Amino acid sequence: MPQKQAENPGNSGNTVVRRFSVAPMMDWTDRHCRFFLRLLSKQTLLYTEMVTTGALLHNDAHRFLRHDASEHPLALQLGGSVPADLAACARLAEDAGYDEVNLNVGCPSDRVQNNMIGACLMAHPALVADCVKAMRDAVSTPVTVKHRIGINGRDSYAELCDFVGQVREAGCRSFTVHARIAILEGLSPKENREVPPLRYEVAAQLKADFPDLEIVLNGGIKTLEECQAHLETFDGVMLGREAYHNPYLLAEVDQRLFGSDAPVVSRSEVLAQLRPYIVAHMESGGAMHHVTRHILGLAQGFKGARRFRQLLSADIHKAAQPLAVFDQAVELLQGR
């Protein structure tokens, strides 16, 4: 049976269950992707793409915050380092109904570093603490932090504990730990997800040394068996690219990690439930590929997977009736 989930009271007794979550991924975890993933698992905590404070405060906030009610439980990940701006954005998130606000302290890209966003903030724990306090003072929605175990030049365990300790003093009680350091010069974001070695033992030591905190493990996890093993040590696990490229993995999450007795949904059932959503999106002026680009991995491992991907990634752009092409793709997974 699943272990009892550690409670995270946030600011006002709200409890967000972080036992299993899908990571925020730029260009991937948009609202269409999240709607699709929710059809596979009702319990998984879903995260938005990272949204910068500037995008929310100086552009169309509704466009960035828009989501379907079915996506809950749902967290908004923010990128920023100005406490007042983050507080204003946290208020927007709370007004929009998000269940959690997460601060990105893990993204290593040059573009965000130049704006003091992401992993570079690990060198400034006092500033991160100020950001967290400002958001917590502004909203009752739980405020969390996602970070690395260090950055080049600040990668000792003592420095990691200093970072977590200062942010804890600001009231944060839930930390999602990507168990790699980030190399801020010379590596691309993709290389930063692969080159620095995974060090789960560092994250485990963090949980041992901060037993009062909720520690969610992220980085390199690919199977539900691995998730179950890590849940012996950590309060939760977060999957990123594996959940995107092999989304049907989520179909057994509720049963295996949350103890649900609901039947496992089939691939064809998911596509049948997705079809009305696609129709509504197209009727509102959207394109089918806005949705179908996220489901290409659903046929992974099956004969016909290549044809499934071709239909939904290439053929729909040339078709006079793209819904007919979608239905062709559905037929390839009928009964599976």
Side-chain angles (χ1 to χ4, degrees):
M1 289 296 292
Q3 297 176 329
K4 183 180 183 293
Q5 171 67 30
E7 289 188 2
N8 174 55
N11 295 356
S12 63
N14 296 336
T15 299
V16 178
V17 178
R18 302 183 183 86
R19 185 172 178 81
F20 182 89
S21 55
V22 174
M25 291 176 279
M26 290 301 293
D27 300 320
W28 288 2
T29 50
D30 63 18
R31 62 188 179 91
H32 305 304
C33 176
R34 299 190 305 262
F35 184 92
F36 163 61
L37 296 178
R38 180 59 70 216
L39 297 176
L40 291 159
S41 168
K42 304 304 180 189
Q43 307 274 8
T44 296
L45 174 61
L46 301 177
Y47 282 78
T48 67
E49 305 169 85
M50 182 188 73
V51 181
T52 66
T53 54
L56 285 182
L57 297 177
H58 306 302
N59 291 292
D60 181 3
H62 173 73
R63 178 168 68 88
F64 290 102
L65 296 174
R66 181 181 177 188
H67 62 279
D68 189 271
S70 68
E71 294 174 39
H72 294 279
L74 178 62
L76 174 71
Q77 187 181 66
L78 290 173
S81 58
V82 178
D85 289 352
L86 285 162
C89 290
R91 284 190 289 269
L92 290 173
E94 183 167 77
D95 291 344
Y98 281 86
D99 302 301
E100 172 188 317
V101 177
N102 178 266
L103 180 62
N104 184 322
V105 190
C107 181
S109 82
D110 292 340
R111 181 166 55 88
V112 300
Q113 285 183 59
N114 293 336
N115 293 304
M116 277 291 284
I117 295 171
C120 64
L121 288 173
M122 292 206 70
H124 306 279
L127 175 58
V128 175
D130 288 344
C131 291
V132 166
K133 183 179 187 304
M135 289 189 284
R136 282 179 48 84
D137 287 347
V139 299
S140 61
T141 303
V143 174
T144 66
V145 170
K146 185 175 187 293
H147 62 94
R148 297 282 184 130
I149 58 172
I151 55 176
N152 54 306
R154 188 182 170 87
D155 59 1
S156 72
Y157 184 66
E159 287 166 319
L160 175 61
C161 288
D162 177 55
F163 172 84
V164 171
Q166 290 196 50
V167 179
R168 177 184 64 174
E169 288 303 306
C172 184
R173 290 294 177 267
S174 183
F175 294 76
T176 297
V177 183
H178 186 156
R180 289 184 173 94
I181 69 164
I183 307 297
L184 299 185
E185 300 90 19
L187 292 186
S188 69
K190 180 178 186 296
E191 290 170 328
N192 260 301
R193 294 191 298 270
E194 300 168 353
V195 174
L198 283 163
R199 299 186 63 193
Y200 294 142
E201 74 280 3
V202 173
Q205 188 61 52
L206 199 64
K207 177 60 186 176
D209 290 339
F210 293 88
D212 58 311
L213 298 181
E214 180 180 60
I215 303 294
V216 177
L217 181 68
N218 173 233
I221 306 169
K222 295 183 180 299
T223 68
L224 295 187
E225 288 75 20
E226 291 175 62
C227 290
Q228 289 170 318
H230 287 306
L231 286 169
E232 295 295 320
T233 301
F234 300 97
D235 301 300
V237 289
M238 173 184 279
L239 269 67
R241 276 148 180 80
E242 187 64 24
Y244 188 86
H245 291 306
N246 183 23
Y248 196 64
L249 175 148
L250 270 67
E252 294 187 16
V253 162
D254 295 359
Q255 291 75 14
R256 294 179 60 179
L257 301 186
F258 291 91
S260 171
D261 56 7
V264 174
V265 65
S266 71
R267 292 168 176 83
S268 54
E269 288 170 336
V270 168
L271 293 175
Q273 294 176 50
L274 187 62
R275 194 181 193 279
Y277 178 86
I278 292 173
V279 171
H281 178 62
M282 293 174 67
E283 288 177 346
S284 69
M288 180 183 288
H289 72 87
H290 294 159
V291 183
T292 55
R293 72 186 184 97
H294 298 300
I295 72 174
L296 302 181
L298 194 60
Q300 182 171 306
F302 278 101
K303 183 179 180 180
R306 184 175 180 181
R307 177 60 177 156
F308 180 85
R309 292 192 298 270
Q310 179 185 341
L311 285 167
L312 296 180
S313 62
D315 292 10
I316 60 167
H317 296 288
K318 300 176 286 186
Q321 296 183 321
L323 274 173
V325 178
F326 176 81
D327 291 337
Q328 280 183 262
V330 171
E331 289 178 11
L332 294 173
L333 294 184
Q334 200 59 48
R336 293 174 173 170

